[in-house]
Amino acid sequence: MSPWGYKAYVPFEKWMQPSPTITRFVPGHDSRIISNSSGEEPNSIPIELHFSQEMNCENVLDAITISSSTEDGLLPSLNRSSVMCQKRVETTAFVSKYTGLITGQIPSTWFLAAKLENVSDGVHTITVSNVTTKEGNASTNSVDHFLFRIGKEENPIVFPRSGNYSESLLHEHGNGSLYISHKAAGADKFRYSTNWGSSWSNWERYTGGNSTLENQNWTGTGKQRWDGNHVSVQYWARMAGSSDYIQQGDLNYDLPRRYPHIFVHGSFNEYGYDSGLASTMHQNHEGIWEYDFMAEWPTEWQANVWGTIPGGKPDLTRAFGDVDNDTVLDLLSPVSLLKNVVWLEQYPDSPHLAYRIRISDADLRYYIVPTGSRLSQIIIWSLLAAVPLMTALAAVSAYRQAFYSVKFNHIGQHEKIGLHPLKIAQGFRFDKWLPEKSLVPFNKVQSIMRSRKPPGDAFIQGASSAGQARRTILIATLEYDIEDWGIKIKIGGLGVMAQLMSKHLQHEDIVWPNITYVLLDADIFRKQTQQEPYPRRMDDMESAIFYSAWNSCIAETMKRFPIDLYHINDYHGAVAPLHILPRTIPCCLSLHNAEFQGLWAIRTPDEMDEVCQIYNLSPDTVRKYIQFGEVFNLLHAGASYLRVWQRGYGAVGVSAKYGKRSWARYPILWGLRKIGSLPNPDPSDVAEWDKKAPSKETVVDEGFEGQRSMFRCQVQQWAGLEVDPDAELCAFVGRWSIQKGIDIIADVFPAILESNPKAQLICVGPVIDIYGRFAALKLEKIMSKYPRRVYSRPEFVTLPPFFHRGVEFGLMPSRDEPFGLVAVEFGRKGALCVGSRVGGLGSMPGWWFTIESTTTKHLIQQFKMAVKGALATKLDTRRTMRARSAMQRYPVAQWKETLGILQDNAIELHQRQAAKQGLRTPRTSSGLDDGNTLPAGTATPLRFWYRRSSGLSSGVSTAVHSRQQSRSASRAPSPSRTTEGGQPTLGKRLGPGHTQEPSVRGRPRKRLSKPNPHANATTSSEMGMITSEIGVAVSSPLEIDNSTAPTAGNNRVSRIGEVGEDDITEAVLDEYLLTPEQAEASKKRSQLASMSEPSAVIRRDVYQPSFAPDLAMSHDILSAAPGSSDNRGTESVLPESARSGIEPMTGNLISSSVARLSLGAVVQSKKDFKLQNVEPFFDDPTGLYYSAFEKKLDDLDGKTSEGPLCVEEFLVQSERDWFNRFRGAKMGRTSLPASPMFRTRENSPAPSSSERRGSHASSSELNEGVEQFLLDEDYRPPTGLKKLLLRKIGDWPVYSFLLAFVRLPIL
């Protein structure tokens, strides 16, 4: 008996024979047979039927029937010649390859074998119906069906697993449509999907061959899309009784795939809700999906085919897990309560770090393979921790080397051959020289200078054909130089350029044939002095009146004369072209200092109405051209005008870098496409210029170098320093202000003097602001601490001719410098430069430090490093640098050529733009006013472009309002301390060039600057006769006598105080000012309007605009000093010879109220104007902080100078304390003590030592009340609830907490 067999013994008489049965079918029920036929020759399949009893062979053959499902419709048949019937006993049976031989079944005793021929690919059924035994006494009494399938391996009906994907299933027609090539013989119907089962076609009858597909719509997220074309074909087989046969195929895709993509979801990524973590699996070269998985163990995951739907939620329709843990993915219903995930409870074995999940989409079997290296991960994490720190340190070091290090410029500027700094506008071709055109310079108002068309030749500029008319240019500047009368108003670089234009933009042999002066007279103009031609502020009523009148006068000049181009300089006259709209005029805009912009608040409709009335402009014009945010911005008006009428072309900076820097720094200029460069020239560099000339070889002037020791000794003797030919003599010459950085010099040099015994310092120049005042105090202490090594003189000083030749280093630590003409002057005369690399500075040989931060510590460190670098430089290197400095050129000829190109382009661009809109430019045969242009000397009232009823006086055309007096300020708030690399700034509220001479409601405020013992005691009578002082900003015409008057044939009046050849040139006159005493003396005697004759026109056509008085009033007004009520007996400021050139004025007359345009005439007695409510600036009005700082300077040394005694740090603390007291005054407090750190036993408001120790000996005697805060006389402090809400808790007012609490529930 075979193993596991059994026998049952039954008594013979009780035995009953069982019915016969089929015990075995070969090849097996539903067996899958690989077809080896080519399609033309059907297969031949051997079959066997085994029975439990011996059967009737013929009866069995007759009982067999065959049915098939094939593509060709053929039925197989039995080959009766192959039939074999015989007995064979088998006690075991071979069921399948998986079970092998088994026992215990009914044994076979007889079988029938035969061959089945003509078997086609498909599904075949063999049916055996009720066969009988050989004896005929028994039958199977059943109908048995046996199934087998035959076909190729890619037939999904025969081989569902291996045939579920076919690379040859999907194809493309020539017209781009898709079709499938069927391989599912045995199927009866099919349907397909081109969107991965999202939708299906209708069921179709299966006939084999090819079937064309229709494209099906699909929607989903970008991550759910797939590459290439894919099709899924589902088949139904009647004989098999199933439709679970799907075959898939791709087109234009390299790897086999059954799913478009697989995403790994789990607790590590919130099951897809956390889309920030990568979860997409990728196929390797075998088509296996892989994903490297690392999480906190234990964890779980699932494979999601579609990931997240457009709403951001996971799509659970194809989310696979493993509920039975058999490493085969299971798909459950989305509503199932089972958690269909794959659990990972064990962390990877060492040395691995993570698992690599591998999924075969053919059978959905997954594999978990340890991967990664813990050691590699430790190294990577260590590098991630260390590399950022190391690279940050390296980046900081590289940045400091590139930007914080001092640039050692030993060769000066690089010459650019054949290139112009101006870029030509788009669409223009100015690469060819334009025809020759004579350049006719400039018209100045107060002085407005307008060029006329004189007879004779003129300077050839840029381009012009013979016979073409001269160009008429209008320039309006508040700084000017009328050389005939010896009048010079100059406080900055604009004054230098105004003088340069008047001298060099004409034929060099012609003297004043082409300039017309238009003189303005009004109280609002008379109030400004020669020392301060600009209003002190730019945000109050008085300054608004001033600039409104100024722009109206410029516009009136445009109306009266045929102007070809208006050249705007800075913000002062930028609004003038808007007054002549809808007529337009070509314009250029030169930015000398874009930090000053002319700003007035228009935050509310009332403020907008006030400013519009002041400037006689409609709100629509203001919104289109001038308004920037909530600010009325004069400079923005100029930029907007260029943007609208010249496509953004025509704006230039006064140095190579200043235009780009201004465009990047000031948002008001961002409407322009770019800002070009028109670098200022050196006024003394009038030699010929050849742009193609080769560079010269550097040759050291040994003679000059040999004399430098002598010059140095002379400078030391002049300054009272220790005479030492080898001393390192450093000098600062210029205005003592925050812009020039005089405070940085005072902070740095104590340490320099202590570390370098050879170092000496000279600082001269007038004090301009509170920074200069405190720096002067500190330098006085330094001079006493380091005797005969420091010379400080905070006033205008006449420099000897040997000064620049004897100085070793010129100091220029400016915070902002658009051009820096003083650096050129220093360098060309032999002093090497040490300063900041901002604006126009840095082109001369020297040591230039960058300003990457506005913090005081950074500025001190940078400047100190630059000075030390300069002192450490070898003498031979310095000799070569001085030789290179002498070779540096800033030729006037180059500047004139570039200016001509700029003007040509601006005019042509404007004409084209105006032509597009059907407008014409002002220069017409009939003038701007279409025949209403008046002759010379005729006064015409200005037009009113916008007027509303208000409290402003109707007797003036430019009506504005302010406090009764402008409040002065020492400096602007934080925007004034921004740097080249800082954030964009909106400009200053201070006027340029103002001094520290504030007044409170008409009462003069005491000056707090300390008089220097070295000051010259120049009397008023001596002022006009000074002939040797160099750098006087204002040359008074009061002392002109008959010897200087013009004679027949010579209409030129000699200037007072002609400069000697060896003195400092006029190129740096903008760096010096008169002392307050000299300015006051000069002011009383230098009023051009104080003429004894009636109002008249100078022989050069002196035109008076609408502010001009009538003939009856002209004598009173023109001869009256500012503020005087009657001065009819005042002698004329002009000599008889000069007055002989004045002709009486004729024409229309206007009321005297217009002639007396002033703040009082406009505001009258009203005090409720918006522009009157401006806050004061901190300028230490009582001297409290000055005295405190003076006391602290007793502890001055090299270390404390850069720390607690730093000028700017002390002023910042003082300003904060003063504004805290100012807030207290506004809250109604009467006791306003300063912070304890500023209290001393001697607090003097006056800078004088004698006064400090005299009547102002104690702080109790100081006027420390509310008057210093300039509150209105009728000011009423808040009371009650308002006062409570304005109280502070820390730095926050109470109302801010209420606002926060109210908004908190909303948040």
Side-chain angles (χ1 to χ4, degrees):
M1 189 170 63
S2 60
W4 310 107
Y6 65 92
K7 289 181 179 182
Y9 293 92
V10 180
F12 183 80
E13 64 276 7
K14 293 184 178 181
W15 166 254
M16 183 177 290
Q17 179 73 28
S19 298
T21 183
I22 300 175
T23 58
R24 183 181 179 191
F25 171 71
V26 177
H29 177 64
D30 202 14
S31 63
R32 316 300 168 94
I33 303 172
I34 297 178
S35 174
N36 56 12
S37 68
S38 62
E40 297 179 356
E41 297 181 1
N43 295 277
S44 178
I45 306 299
I47 63 171
E48 294 181 7
L49 289 174
H50 293 241
F51 292 87
S52 60
Q53 297 180 29
E54 184 178 1
M55 308 299 291
N56 187 325
C57 186
E58 290 296 329
N59 182 260
V60 173
L61 290 175
D62 294 337
I64 295 176
T65 59
I66 301 173
S67 60
S68 300
S69 176
T70 61
E71 290 183 0
D72 54 14
L74 296 178
L75 288 176
S77 61
L78 283 174
N79 187 349
R80 287 183 173 268
S81 63
S82 64
V83 175
M84 181 181 64
C85 298
Q86 64 181 23
K87 295 176 63 174
R88 183 172 62 186
V89 178
E90 293 181 352
T91 58
T92 60
F94 183 83
V95 177
S96 68
K97 64 180 181 180
Y98 302 105
T99 60
L101 294 175
I102 60 174
T103 60
Q105 79 283 355
I106 299 176
S108 298
T109 60
W110 184 86
F111 73 94
L112 181 147
K115 275 191 177 182
L116 194 64
E117 295 181 342
N118 297 323
V119 181
S120 300
D121 290 355
V123 180
H124 304 273
T125 302
I126 298 177
T127 304
V128 181
S129 301
N130 192 23
V131 294
T132 61
T133 62
K134 182 177 180 180
E135 289 81 9
N137 57 358
S139 66
T140 59
N141 198 27
S142 65
V143 178
D144 297 299
H145 302 279
F146 299 98
L147 186 72
F148 71 91
R149 312 182 197 193
I150 184 171
K152 305 293 185 182
E153 289 189 24
E154 58 185 3
N155 189 329
I157 302 297
V158 180
F159 302 102
R161 291 188 179 182
S162 62
N164 61 11
Y165 186 89
S166 174
E167 295 180 354
S168 59
L169 176 65
L170 185 60
H171 303 273
E172 185 176 16
H173 287 297
N175 59 4
S177 62
L178 302 178
Y179 70 94
I180 54 177
S181 178
H182 293 289
K183 298 171 178 59
D188 293 285
K189 291 185 178 182
F190 77 96
R191 65 175 182 172
Y192 62 87
S193 172
T194 60
N195 51 25
W196 302 92
S198 297
S199 62
W200 292 89
S201 67
N202 295 326
W203 285 100
E204 300 179 28
R205 183 171 177 272
Y206 179 83
T207 58
N210 299 332
S211 298
T212 301
L213 308 181
E214 294 181 2
N215 192 28
Q216 296 169 328
N217 186 35
W218 178 86
T219 59
T221 65
K223 284 188 175 181
Q224 291 177 331
R225 293 188 179 275
W226 59 91
D227 298 329
N229 296 305
H230 183 88
V231 67
S232 300
V233 185
Q234 183 178 10
Y235 296 98
W236 174 71
R238 179 183 56 82
M239 289 187 176
S242 174
S243 62
D244 194 18
Y245 306 108
I246 296 178
Q247 188 175 59
Q248 305 188 62
D250 287 285
L251 183 66
N252 301 323
Y253 194 78
D254 297 332
L255 298 173
R257 57 178 174 174
R258 282 81 175 175
Y259 298 103
H261 24 56
I262 300 178
F263 303 93
V264 177
H265 287 175
S267 58
F268 72 98
N269 63 355
E270 302 295 332
Y271 285 91
Y273 284 101
D274 186 357
S275 59
L277 295 177
S279 61
T280 305
M281 301 189 76
H282 301 278
Q283 286 182 291
N284 61 17
H285 66 283
E286 298 176 349
I288 303 299
W289 297 89
E290 293 183 339
Y291 178 77
D292 290 338
F293 182 51
M294 184 174 67
E296 294 183 3
W297 319 108
T299 187
E300 74 279 347
W301 62 273
Q302 64 179 194
N304 193 310
V305 173
W306 289 109
T308 56
I309 60 179
K313 297 181 179 180
D315 187 338
L316 301 179
T317 58
R318 286 292 185 271
F320 293 91
D322 186 8
V323 293
D324 52 3
N325 199 26
D326 61 352
T327 69
V328 176
L329 294 177
D330 303 321
L331 179 63
L332 299 183
S333 171
V335 298
S336 173
L337 297 180
L338 291 177
K339 192 171 184 179
N340 190 18
V341 296
V342 180
W343 287 95
L344 284 177
E345 299 181 354
Q346 200 69 20
Y347 56 83
D349 295 332
S350 180
H352 301 294
L353 183 69
Y355 287 113
R356 175 168 294 172
I357 301 174
R358 307 184 68 196
I359 298 176
S360 172
D361 58 7
D363 56 5
L364 293 180
R365 188 172 295 276
Y366 68 90
Y367 307 89
I368 305 295
V369 182
T371 187
S373 170
R374 296 182 184 179
L375 179 60
S376 300
Q377 193 71 4
I378 293 174
I379 295 175
I380 291 175
W381 278 105
S382 300
L383 290 176
L384 289 175
V387 169
L389 179 61
M390 293 187 295
T391 54
L393 294 176
V396 170
S397 178
Y399 184 85
R400 290 178 63 88
Q401 290 294 325
F403 296 100
Y404 279 59
S405 61
V406 176
K407 180 186 178 183
F408 177 41
N409 185 352
H410 64 283
I411 61 174
Q413 64 178 349
H414 297 278
E415 297 182 3
K416 297 180 179 180
I417 306 300
L419 295 178
H420 289 291
L422 291 175
K423 301 297 183 184
I424 308 304
Q426 248 183 358
F428 274 78
R429 289 197 59 196
F430 288 103
D431 50 335
K432 300 180 180 179
W433 288 107
L434 298 175
E436 292 186 354
K437 184 182 294 184
S438 55
L439 173 67
V440 186
F442 296 81
N443 183 9
K444 298 188 179 182
V445 178
Q446 196 191 19
S447 172
I448 296 178
M449 301 175 59
R450 180 189 64 81
S451 63
R452 301 178 61 197
K453 295 181 287 185
D457 298 330
F459 185 81
I460 302 300
Q461 171 340 92
S464 187
S465 60
Q468 185 173 351
R470 294 169 59 91
R471 180 185 298 152
T472 303
I473 306 297
L474 173 65
I475 290 184
T477 61
L478 291 166
E479 301 176 48
Y480 53 91
D481 178 18
I482 305 179
E483 189 171 301
D484 288 16
W485 298 343
I487 300 176
K488 185 183 301 181
I489 305 297
K490 185 187 304 182
I491 67 167
L494 181 56
V496 175
M497 295 308 299
Q499 179 183 7
L500 181 73
M501 294 174 184
S502 65
K503 285 186 176 182
H504 294 286
L505 295 185
Q506 55 181 312
H507 193 276
E508 57 185 9
D509 295 331
I510 306 298
V511 180
W512 298 121
N514 60 338
I515 293 183
T516 297
Y517 297 97
V518 180
L519 303 181
L520 306 181
D521 180 73
D523 288 351
I524 195 67
F525 294 143
R526 285 174 174 261
K527 188 169 184 179
Q528 302 308 128
T529 65
Q530 294 171 325
Q531 185 180 2
E532 293 186 16
Y534 301 98
R536 294 190 182 100
R537 298 185 64 130
M538 289 188 294
D539 61 347
D540 62 351
M541 173 69 82
E542 187 171 18
S543 60
I545 297 174
F546 180 93
Y547 286 113
S548 174
W550 175 251
N551 282 274
S552 297
C553 293
I554 300 173
E556 188 69 17
T557 305
M558 295 179 189
K559 300 174 186 177
R560 297 188 179 198
F561 302 102
I563 305 299
D564 291 304
L565 181 138
Y566 173 39
H567 199 124
I568 306 171
N569 288 278
D570 284 341
Y571 70 93
H572 316 111
V575 176
L578 304 182
H579 283 291
I580 67 173
L581 291 174
R583 301 298 180 89
T584 60
I585 186 172
C587 291
C588 295
L589 173 61
S590 290
L591 299 177
H592 299 269
N593 193 340
E595 187 69 25
F596 300 99
Q597 299 174 7
L599 311 175
W600 288 266
I602 48 175
R603 296 161 296 191
T604 64
D606 291 340
E607 290 178 339
M608 170 69 83
D609 289 340
E610 274 190 19
V611 176
C612 289
Q613 293 178 67
I614 291 170
Y615 279 90
N616 290 330
L617 295 170
S618 67
D620 291 339
T621 301
V622 171
R623 294 187 188 99
K624 180 177 180 180
Y625 291 94
I626 307 174
Q627 183 176 2
F628 188 81
E630 296 181 340
V631 176
F632 182 94
N633 190 305
L634 292 183
L635 187 59
H636 186 239
S640 299
Y641 192 86
L642 297 182
R643 171 178 52 83
V644 174
W645 295 107
Q646 293 175 198
R647 298 193 308 185
Y649 178 84
V652 292
V654 295
S655 64
K657 297 184 296 183
Y658 192 67
K660 294 180 180 179
R661 173 178 176 269
S662 298
W663 189 89
R665 185 178 182 185
Y666 303 108
I668 63 165
L669 303 174
W670 291 351
L672 303 176
R673 292 182 301 170
K674 64 177 299 180
I675 297 179
S677 61
L678 181 64
N680 287 346
D682 179 2
S684 64
D685 190 357
V686 295
E688 294 184 358
W689 170 70
D690 183 3
K691 59 184 177 181
K692 296 183 179 180
S695 301
K696 297 180 181 179
E697 184 180 354
T698 304
V699 178
V700 177
D701 188 347
E702 297 295 344
F704 173 76
E705 293 293 334
Q707 294 180 337
R708 281 184 52 77
S709 297
M710 178 189 66
F711 292 143
R712 185 167 304 156
C713 293
Q714 292 176 351
V715 174
Q716 292 167 340
Q717 292 173 355
W718 172 81
L721 302 179
E722 180 181 353
V723 177
D724 182 3
D726 299 326
E728 304 284 10
L729 183 57
C730 306
F732 170 83
V733 179
R735 300 193 300 271
W736 291 28
S737 64
I738 181 176
Q739 177 191 355
K740 300 299 180 180
I742 183 63
D743 58 305
I744 301 176
I745 297 176
D747 293 336
V748 166
F749 258 82
I752 298 296
L753 294 171
E754 291 178 0
S755 61
N756 194 324
K758 288 287 186 178
Q760 295 180 345
L761 175 65
I762 296 177
C763 293
V764 294
V767 173
I768 297 299
D769 59 18
I770 193 171
Y771 275 69
R773 191 198 324 164
F774 277 67
L777 175 62
K778 188 172 183 179
L779 286 171
E780 182 183 356
K781 288 287 186 179
I782 295 174
M783 188 166 59
S784 62
K785 184 174 181 63
Y786 305 96
R788 295 180 59 79
R789 295 184 63 190
V790 179
Y791 176 68
S792 171
R793 194 168 178 181
E795 60 183 21
F796 169 81
V797 175
T798 302
L799 297 178
F802 49 77
F803 183 84
H804 291 82
R805 298 181 177 93
V807 171
E808 186 71 13
F809 302 108
L811 305 179
M812 284 155 288
S814 301
R815 290 178 170 89
D816 187 25
E817 197 69 63
F819 177 65
L821 198 57
V822 67
V824 178
E825 176 68 19
F826 265 120
R828 286 171 64 88
K829 289 195 172 183
L832 300 177
C833 303
V834 181
S836 57
R837 192 183 175 197
V838 295
L841 295 178
S843 61
M844 292 293 291
W847 296 262
W848 305 100
F849 65 89
T850 57
I851 298 180
E852 300 296 332
S853 171
T854 59
T855 60
T856 308
K857 182 178 180 181
H858 172 73
L859 296 175
I860 290 175
Q861 178 183 359
Q862 292 292 91
F863 180 57
K864 187 176 181 180
M865 184 166 55
V867 173
K868 288 184 176 181
L871 295 175
T873 306
K874 296 181 180 180
L875 298 180
D876 290 342
T877 303
R878 299 184 195 177
R879 286 158 52 91
T880 305
M881 293 173 65
R882 280 191 288 269
R884 288 292 304 176
S885 296
M887 296 171 58
Q888 301 301 299
R889 292 206 60 190
Y890 298 84
V892 174
Q894 182 185 17
W895 171 78
K896 289 189 291 187
E897 179 180 301
T898 308
L899 176 63
I901 296 175
L902 170 69
Q903 293 174 347
D904 287 339
N905 297 348
I907 291 174
E908 184 162 351
L909 264 172
H910 179 272
Q911 290 174 346
R912 293 188 181 185
Q913 195 71 8
K916 290 180 180 180
Q917 304 189 32
L919 301 177
R920 57 187 176 88
T921 55
R923 189 182 179 98
T924 63
S925 58
S926 60
L928 182 63
D929 291 328
D930 297 328
N932 297 326
T933 303
L934 299 179
T938 304
T940 304
L942 292 179
R943 297 174 177 172
F944 291 87
W945 291 89
Y946 173 70
R947 181 171 299 284
R948 285 183 53 174
S949 59
S950 69
L952 300 178
S953 172
S954 60
V956 290
S957 59
T958 53
V960 279
H961 46 281
S962 171
R963 285 180 174 267
Q964 294 178 354
Q965 295 290 340
S966 294
R967 296 170 182 167
S968 68
S970 60
R971 64 181 178 91
S974 57
S976 66
R977 297 200 297 269
T978 57
T979 66
E980 187 169 1
Q983 296 293 327
T985 174
L986 301 179
K988 293 185 178 180
R989 292 183 291 164
L990 295 173
H994 65 83
T995 61
Q996 209 56 36
E997 289 272 11
S999 59
V1000 183
R1001 299 189 187 92
R1003 301 188 299 274
R1005 180 180 288 176
K1006 294 183 179 181
R1007 286 189 58 83
L1008 301 179
S1009 59
K1010 182 175 294 187
N1012 194 288
H1014 301 283
N1016 294 332
T1018 306
T1019 63
S1020 299
S1021 60
E1022 297 171 338
M1023 282 299 299
M1025 300 302 295
I1026 296 176
T1027 60
S1028 60
E1029 288 190 346
I1030 307 304
V1032 179
V1034 181
S1035 299
S1036 172
L1038 299 180
E1039 302 300 328
I1040 301 178
D1041 55 19
N1042 292 334
S1043 63
T1044 61
T1047 59
N1050 179 18
N1051 61 355
R1052 183 180 186 275
V1053 181
S1054 301
R1055 268 181 50 237
I1056 299 301
E1058 291 287 351
V1059 182
E1061 183 178 358
D1062 294 333
D1063 292 339
I1064 183 172
T1065 67
E1066 296 175 2
V1068 292
L1069 294 185
D1070 63 309
E1071 300 294 336
Y1072 315 108
L1073 290 174
L1074 296 174
T1075 62
E1077 294 80 7
Q1078 292 169 334
E1080 184 64 26
S1082 176
K1083 173 182 174 182
K1084 295 179 181 179
R1085 302 176 294 112
S1086 63
Q1087 303 298 328
L1088 281 175
S1090 300
M1091 302 178 182
S1092 57
E1093 300 295 335
S1095 179
V1097 180
I1098 308 300
R1099 185 167 294 160
R1100 309 276 173 74
D1101 300 335
V1102 182
Y1103 298 98
Q1104 297 198 11
S1106 59
F1107 297 109
D1110 57 28
L1111 292 177
M1113 297 294 297
S1114 60
H1115 180 278
D1116 295 342
I1117 295 177
L1118 291 177
S1119 60
S1124 62
S1125 59
D1126 190 1
N1127 249 343
R1128 295 179 181 270
T1130 303
E1131 185 179 356
S1132 170
V1133 297
L1134 294 179
E1136 184 66 29
S1137 58
R1139 295 198 302 271
S1140 63
I1142 302 177
E1143 301 171 356
M1145 194 177 100
T1146 61
N1148 299 336
L1149 304 178
I1150 61 175
S1151 66
S1152 61
S1153 63
V1154 177
R1156 291 188 177 275
L1157 175 63
S1158 64
L1159 178 65
V1162 176
V1163 177
Q1164 297 178 350
S1165 60
K1166 294 180 67 64
K1167 298 182 180 180
D1168 58 348
F1169 294 112
K1170 301 296 182 182
L1171 293 184
Q1172 290 176 312
N1173 300 321
V1174 292
E1175 299 289 347
F1177 290 111
F1178 169 70
D1179 58 359
D1180 191 17
T1182 62
L1184 171 69
Y1185 304 100
Y1186 184 94
S1187 301
F1189 189 58
E1190 184 178 25
K1191 183 68 176 177
K1192 290 177 178 293
L1193 288 176
D1194 293 340
D1195 301 327
L1196 178 68
D1197 57 31
K1199 185 175 181 179
T1200 59
S1201 178
E1202 300 174 10
L1205 299 182
C1206 171
V1207 173
E1208 183 172 21
E1209 293 293 337
F1210 184 84
L1211 286 177
V1212 169
Q1213 297 173 2
S1214 302
E1215 183 176 7
R1216 184 182 297 112
D1217 182 73
W1218 188 84
F1219 273 101
N1220 287 335
R1221 297 167 60 209
F1222 172 57
R1223 188 177 185 280
K1226 294 180 69 175
M1227 294 291 290
R1229 300 196 203 107
T1230 57
S1231 178
L1232 303 169
S1235 175
M1237 66 174 295
F1238 301 109
R1239 299 177 190 172
T1240 62
R1241 294 185 177 181
E1242 292 186 356
N1243 284 306
S1244 173
S1248 171
S1249 300
S1250 59
E1251 291 180 358
R1252 182 173 64 252
R1253 296 178 177 85
S1255 59
H1256 301 283
S1258 66
S1259 60
S1260 61
E1261 299 176 13
L1262 294 175
N1263 181 18
E1264 287 293 334
V1266 299
E1267 282 193 359
Q1268 63 176 312
F1269 302 110
L1270 305 178
L1271 298 176
D1272 290 331
E1273 295 177 354
D1274 56 351
Y1275 175 78
R1276 296 292 180 268
T1279 58
L1281 180 61
K1282 183 176 181 180
K1283 184 175 184 179
L1284 176 63
L1285 294 177
L1286 288 174
R1287 290 187 178 277
K1288 284 188 174 183
I1289 301 178
D1291 291 334
W1292 297 87
V1294 173
Y1295 69 81
S1296 64
F1297 292 97
L1298 297 179
L1299 292 175
F1301 293 148
V1302 170
R1303 291 180 178 271
L1304 189 59
I1306 301 177
L1307 298 178

